[in-house]
Amino acid sequence: MCSGRVDMKFVLRAFLNGTDGVFIGGCRLNECNYITHGNFHALNMVLLCRKIMEHIGLNPERLRIDFMSSGEGNIFAETMNDFGKKVEALGPIGITEEIDKDELKSRIEEVTKLLPYIKIVKKEKLESRVENKEEYDGYFTRDEIEKLFSEVVSYYIDPDKCQACMICARRCPAEAIVGGKNRIHVIDQDKCIKCGTCFEACPPRFGAVTEITGEPVPPPIPEDQRMLARKSKKK
Ligand code: SF4
Ligand code: SF4
């Protein structure tokens, strides 16, 4: 119902499925019927997504957002005709950009996996209202996007500190933490969506989860060494 409901994941999925262009139509800005003003969220999402598309080598013109009322059928028709022609001129996705099909798939999947992290890092900007059209292009800068991807945070459980309390594994939204009773917990980096919940959830007295930026994550402790030796039971 609301353009604010259009998640970047939907847009990326469309491109992943070979869609050549994505159009999002929202109500006129500042004319939202609700206090949410979701169309501003949609606008920010598109501005960010277009910069991310540039970052992965896709032409950002393949994504467009416009605002109009439901009574403006003529504007809608003109907009769609115009966008349709532009997308046709851009050609099939990936081909014009000279990106191999598998490479494009892997780039889009990599970004999709990082979306929860991106939304946390860019939360404030994504929720703001950009009133002035002149600000659109520079709202998210190339440097900012470079930094966003070069400073991606990873999470790691220090096996010497983990007390197998299982709190992180219960809270992880991606089922990325492998643990169990009296087992030192480890993070499956392939499943981790970098939401930071485990970092927040690990009790401070254990402080077993660490944030790692710009360095490789140490390999997980081998499975046969994960049984926790509790100090109180040692003689
Ligand atoms: S950051 Fe932690 S809680 Fe979030 S998905 Fe990764 S392992 Fe799970
Ligand atoms: S919350 Fe901390 S101590 Fe508890 S299992 Fe997770 S990493 Fe280990």
Side-chain angles (χ1 to χ4, degrees):
M1 183 173 179
C2 176
S3 56
R5 172 70 181 89
V6 183
D7 197 284
M8 203 189 300
K9 198 172 181 177
F10 305 163
V11 177
L12 293 174
R13 194 192 300 149
F15 289 133
L16 189 66
N17 289 339
T19 305
D20 298 325
V22 173
F23 174 80
I24 297 162
C27 300
R28 283 175 171 277
L29 293 171
N30 287 315
E31 290 183 16
C32 181
N33 282 317
Y34 306 100
I35 55 165
T36 48
H37 289 272
N39 43 6
F40 277 102
H41 292 218
L43 170 62
N44 297 338
M45 181 278 288
V46 166
L47 297 177
L48 177 58
C49 192
R50 283 170 61 99
K51 282 285 187 291
I52 289 175
M53 287 168 71
E54 252 178 31
H55 180 79
I56 62 170
L58 276 180
N59 191 323
E61 297 300 315
R62 294 188 183 279
L63 174 61
R64 177 163 167 180
I65 187 165
D66 262 307
F67 306 96
M68 60 202 72
S69 87
S70 55
E72 294 175 318
N74 54 333
I75 297 180
F76 178 69
E78 275 167 28
T79 308
M80 294 317 295
N81 283 334
D82 181 61
F83 185 57
K85 277 183 203 152
K86 278 202 176 127
V87 172
E88 211 172 332
L90 287 173
I93 189 163
I95 308 268
T96 325
E97 288 94 344
E98 297 180 355
I99 310 172
D100 170 78
K101 208 175 172 187
D102 290 340
E103 175 61 23
L104 180 62
K105 184 172 178 273
S106 114
R107 289 184 199 179
I108 295 177
E109 282 176 345
E110 196 54 37
V111 171
T112 305
K113 201 176 140 198
L114 289 175
L115 282 182
Y117 165 78
I118 292 171
K119 284 182 196 169
I120 291 170
V121 177
K122 294 291 160 202
K123 188 174 186 292
E124 209 176 306
K125 270 186 151 181
L126 285 169
E127 290 174 357
S128 303
R129 286 197 203 177
V130 192
E131 301 275 1
N132 186 353
K133 268 192 167 188
E134 312 282 297
E135 287 177 49
Y136 286 4
D137 201 38
Y139 190 57
F140 293 101
T141 65
R142 265 187 212 168
D143 287 353
E144 190 180 355
I145 303 301
E146 292 287 333
K147 200 167 168 231
L148 181 69
F149 286 97
S150 64
E151 293 183 358
V152 170
V153 171
S154 295
Y155 293 89
Y156 171 71
I157 295 175
D158 184 338
D160 293 330
K161 291 184 180 171
C162 179
Q163 292 303 305
C165 69
M166 302 200 280
I167 293 173
C168 59
R170 284 195 201 108
R171 299 223 185 134
C172 174
E175 297 185 357
I177 300 179
V178 184
K181 202 175 171 196
N182 291 325
R183 305 270 302 165
I184 291 169
H185 286 40
V186 297
I187 295 176
D188 180 337
Q189 299 295 334
D190 284 336
K191 285 189 182 173
C192 175
I193 56 169
K194 305 179 189 298
C195 66
T197 303
C198 52
F199 183 72
E200 301 290 333
C202 184
R205 65 184 185 282
F206 304 143
V209 183
T210 51
E211 278 183 332
I212 298 179
T213 311
E215 278 176 44
V217 180
I221 181 170
E223 224 172 318
D224 59 358
Q225 293 171 29
R226 291 185 196 167
M227 193 51 77
L228 187 70
R230 297 209 180 265
K231 283 178 192 154
S232 56
K233 289 186 183 167
K234 281 184 184 169
K235 284 273 165 192

